[in-house]
Amino acid sequence: MRHVIALDVGGTGMKAALAGADGELLHQARRPTGRARGPEAVVEGILDFAAELRAHGEQHFGEPAAAAGVAVPGIVDPERGLAVYAANLGWRDVPLRDLLAARLGGVPVALGHDVRTGGLAEGRVGAGRGADRFLFVPLGTGIAGAIGIDGRVEAGAHGFAGEIGHVVVRPGGAPCPCGQRGCLERYASAAAVSEAWAAACGDPEADAADCAKAVLSGDPNAVRVWRTAVDALADGLVTALTLLDPRTLIIGGGLAEAGETLFTPLRDAVRRRVTFQKLPEIVPAALGDTAGCLGAGLLAWDLLTSTDRTEESA
């Protein structure tokens, strides 16, 4: 059975799959990145994991994978196949595409940014299916974005497109590690809500999920923290939809797990802010933590499709 290898590399763990042509995940596996052992060990772990997946495919599906796709965090140069920089993993300018191709017997390998790769999956087979223009915004430790246009995700001229978390929504506000003050992710990420709620309730272990539960129970401090986050998020999203005019706005990540505790006030807050803009459909992400693997698989199949077309026209 023809299949591809899909790898989603996170700051602490790796998710991987063998994916069929219809997007079905035929085999799934997970393992830690081993980042405590240093960036070289992380890279070697990725290569070993990919080689194990190739062997599994050969044994169970009668042939090795035809291609591979890998999604990584940080700054990525997909054209040159470089994992340029990832603070959590400690690497710089890793030629990951070439290293993987060599380990996998020379098959084509696609390298993508983790959020854009997850956004590709949400747009094609998830919550944005059928939308010609979408914006995918996962609310996690930080806030990023993937701009979907006609079945692909726009990376920008330098690979930085979609960094909505660094739109300034509160000028002169909280300092951000990026060097600015008042960035969206300092107010509306899951990490920011966790920090604010831990301070408000006096429990250093409390997180955003605890805050959402307290909102449901009517705790006034929780309601205040939550409203601050939702208002900031709405301001950032209205800036994005003014620029991009998406048909669908997909919200994912840890904060979206609060369901309608987030989506009902968020839709209302965005609706109050729009004037001439067209209000997009605001929906939760559909694929959960499989989005990165599914997207990496789509990148790999896209490589094969383009190769097949080239050979047909030759």
Side-chain angles (χ1 to χ4, degrees), residues 2-14:
R2 202 176 193 212
H3 63 278
V4 299
I5 292 169
L7 274 165
D8 179 19
V9 180
T12 58
M14 297 185 283

Side-chain angles (χ1 to χ4, degrees), residues 84 100 109 217 261 305:
V84 178
L100 274 167
V109 175
S217 68
T261 303
T305 300

Side-chain angles (χ1 to χ4, degrees), residues 75-77 80 82-86 91-94:
I75 300 169
V76 178
D77 183 341
R80 294 192 295 158
L82 295 179
V84 178
Y85 174 70
W91 63 29
R92 287 183 181 273
D93 296 323
V94 177

Side-chain angles (χ1 to χ4, degrees), residues 91-282:
W91 63 29
R92 287 183 181 273
D93 296 323
V94 177
L96 197 53
R97 182 179 64 194
D98 290 347
L99 291 171
L100 274 167
R103 183 66 67 93
L104 296 173
V107 301
V109 175
L111 179 67
H113 179 268
D114 57 353
V115 172
R116 287 196 287 272
T117 301
L120 178 69
E122 283 288 352
R124 284 202 201 166
V125 301
R129 185 191 300 220
D132 55 346
R133 301 285 190 279
F134 70 88
L135 177 63
F136 169 57
V137 180
L139 310 173
T141 304
I143 299 178
I147 302 165
I149 304 171
D150 290 333
R152 64 181 181 83
V153 173
E154 173 59 47
H158 307 95
F160 298 151
E163 289 291 346
I164 186 177
H166 297 289
V167 169
V168 174
V169 294
R170 300 291 180 263
C176 180
C178 80
Q180 297 188 112
R181 301 183 73 91
C183 287
L184 175 60
E185 70 175 41
R186 295 297 298 122
Y187 297 89
S189 64
V193 173
S194 295
E195 182 182 332
W197 176 234
C201 73
D203 178 1
E205 300 299 317
D207 61 13
D210 298 321
C211 185
K213 291 174 188 171
V215 169
L216 284 174
S217 68
D219 185 302
N221 282 332
V223 170
R224 173 181 54 79
V225 168
W226 200 256
R227 183 178 296 131
T228 296
V230 169
D231 283 345
L233 181 56
D235 287 339
L237 292 177
V238 169
T239 297
L241 69 88
T242 302
L243 289 170
L244 301 172
D245 188 26
R247 199 171 306 279
T248 305
L249 185 52
I250 306 165
I251 309 295
L255 213 58
E257 293 174 8
E260 287 306 312
T261 303
L262 174 68
F263 283 92
T264 296
L266 179 61
R267 291 184 184 112
D268 290 343
V270 171
R271 189 179 298 111
R272 289 196 305 270
R273 285 162 171 76
V274 298
T275 53
F276 66 90
Q277 305 95 330
K278 292 292 186 183
L279 190 66
E281 185 181 12
I282 301 175

